[in-house]
Amino acid sequence: MSGWRAMAKARHVAIIMDGNGRWAKKRHLPRAVGHQRGVEAVRTVVRAAREMGLEALTLYAFSTENWRRPEDEISALMGLLKRYIISDIDEFVANNVRLKVIGDYTALPADVVTLIDDALARTAGNTGTWLVIALNYGAQDEIARAATRAAAKGPITPATIEAELDTAELPPLDLLIRTSGEVRLSNFLLWQAAYAEMWFTEVLWPDFKPEHLLEALDAFAKRERRYGGR
Ligand code: FPP
């Protein structure tokens, strides 16, 4: 795995993990099975990101809009999230992974909140790869919350808003990946994406492998970023 490190020039990668439902539908399986396989992809990609030496990996797990999904799908997603944290927290602790949540996760079911708080506390002293999970996250909501806090402290400028974003302590977003062929941001990291590179793939999230992450990182390494200059 050490060979991967040299290629990973991006510091912070974010992923819109789309296509679990279509993956299941193609196989005549319940949507929940697609989400289950989606968690397997999460586990593999988180391990790869750490081994590749990424500084931060941000995953869009549950949006402010996902509350509109049927109740049984929401509770299946919450159950999967809980099981993932319970089964992988020791691995995060052992591998110096630092967990962070963006979005107002306190609106999630109380048992999920307790589990998250415990996981955050257990990894708070870690200094390795940030695993950032977006939960009850919407970028417009994040920016509104940040602007409110910034206004309470003084004049609003891009810098004062940025300092209040949920992502304030993370490295700048370099690369945003979306799976399943959809080409839109869906209220994810709108502010942070201002200068990020975008990489879209037809691959459905449950089929996403470390090789695809490498492909995206490779494409990123080849792009010239000018930040509006020349
Ligand atoms: C999109 O698929 C995926 C989601 C809405 C949720 C992503 C969640 C997971 C991968 C599992 C839980 C996360 C973690 C971090 C353990 P979709 O249902 O919108 O697919 P479709 O567009 O094909 O219907």
Side-chain angles (χ1 to χ4, degrees):
M1 299 297 174
S2 60
W4 289 358
R5 186 175 289 269
M7 284 183 62
K9 294 215 180 68
R11 299 172 66 196
H12 182 178
V13 176
I15 310 180
I16 302 177
M17 310 180 289
D18 198 7
N20 295 347
R22 274 161 288 165
W23 184 95
K25 194 171 181 194
K26 275 200 335 202
R27 290 162 180 79
H28 308 286
L29 293 167
R31 289 178 65 81
V33 179
H35 292 315
Q36 231 167 42
R37 295 295 291 261
V39 177
E40 287 311 310
V42 167
R43 182 171 284 120
T44 313
V45 168
V46 167
R47 284 179 183 149
R50 174 173 57 72
E51 287 165 357
M52 288 174 194
L54 278 188
E55 288 178 45
L57 177 70
T58 299
L59 302 175
Y60 204 5
F62 196 83
S63 74
T64 46
E65 288 72 36
N66 284 153
W67 295 109
R68 292 189 210 131
R69 294 197 177 203
E71 222 169 283
D72 61 337
E73 184 172 352
I74 295 175
S75 68
L77 282 169
M78 293 301 147
L80 285 169
L81 175 69
K82 268 171 61 177
R83 255 172 283 157
Y84 174 64
I85 295 175
I86 290 168
S87 64
D88 286 42
I89 181 69
D90 288 343
E91 185 176 325
F92 300 155
V93 172
N95 289 297
N96 202 19
V97 170
R98 184 160 181 192
L99 194 67
K100 181 178 178 67
V101 174
I102 57 171
D104 180 13
Y105 72 95
T106 61
L108 299 182
D111 56 336
V112 182
V113 175
T114 306
L115 190 69
I116 291 171
D117 283 336
D118 176 58
L120 291 173
R122 285 191 62 196
T123 63
N126 288 353
T127 54
T129 300
W130 286 100
L131 170 57
V132 185
I133 306 183
L135 289 170
N136 189 26
Y137 174 88
Q140 293 173 342
D141 174 65
E142 177 195 31
I143 293 166
R145 287 187 283 105
T148 306
R149 285 193 295 263
K153 291 183 183 172
I156 294 192
T157 68
T160 64
I161 292 179
E162 190 154 293
E164 299 294 337
L165 292 174
D166 295 352
T167 53
E169 60 187 336
L170 299 172
L173 181 65
D174 292 312
L175 175 64
L176 180 71
I177 296 172
R178 182 168 190 153
T179 60
S180 90
E182 309 290 346
V183 182
R184 56 176 176 269
L185 288 180
S186 299
N187 202 14
F188 189 47
L189 302 178
L190 298 182
W191 184 290
Q192 297 83 346
Y195 290 104
E197 296 287 333
M198 313 273 175
W199 194 81
F200 298 97
T201 176
E202 296 289 326
V203 173
L204 302 177
W205 177 251
D207 292 328
F208 193 89
K209 302 275 181 299
E211 286 69 24
H212 300 115
L213 177 58
L214 268 187
E215 206 185 314
L217 288 169
D218 198 24
F220 173 84
K222 291 192 177 112
R223 290 181 194 171
E224 190 193 346
R225 298 170 88 199
R226 289 195 291 268
Y227 301 94
R230 302 195 53 191

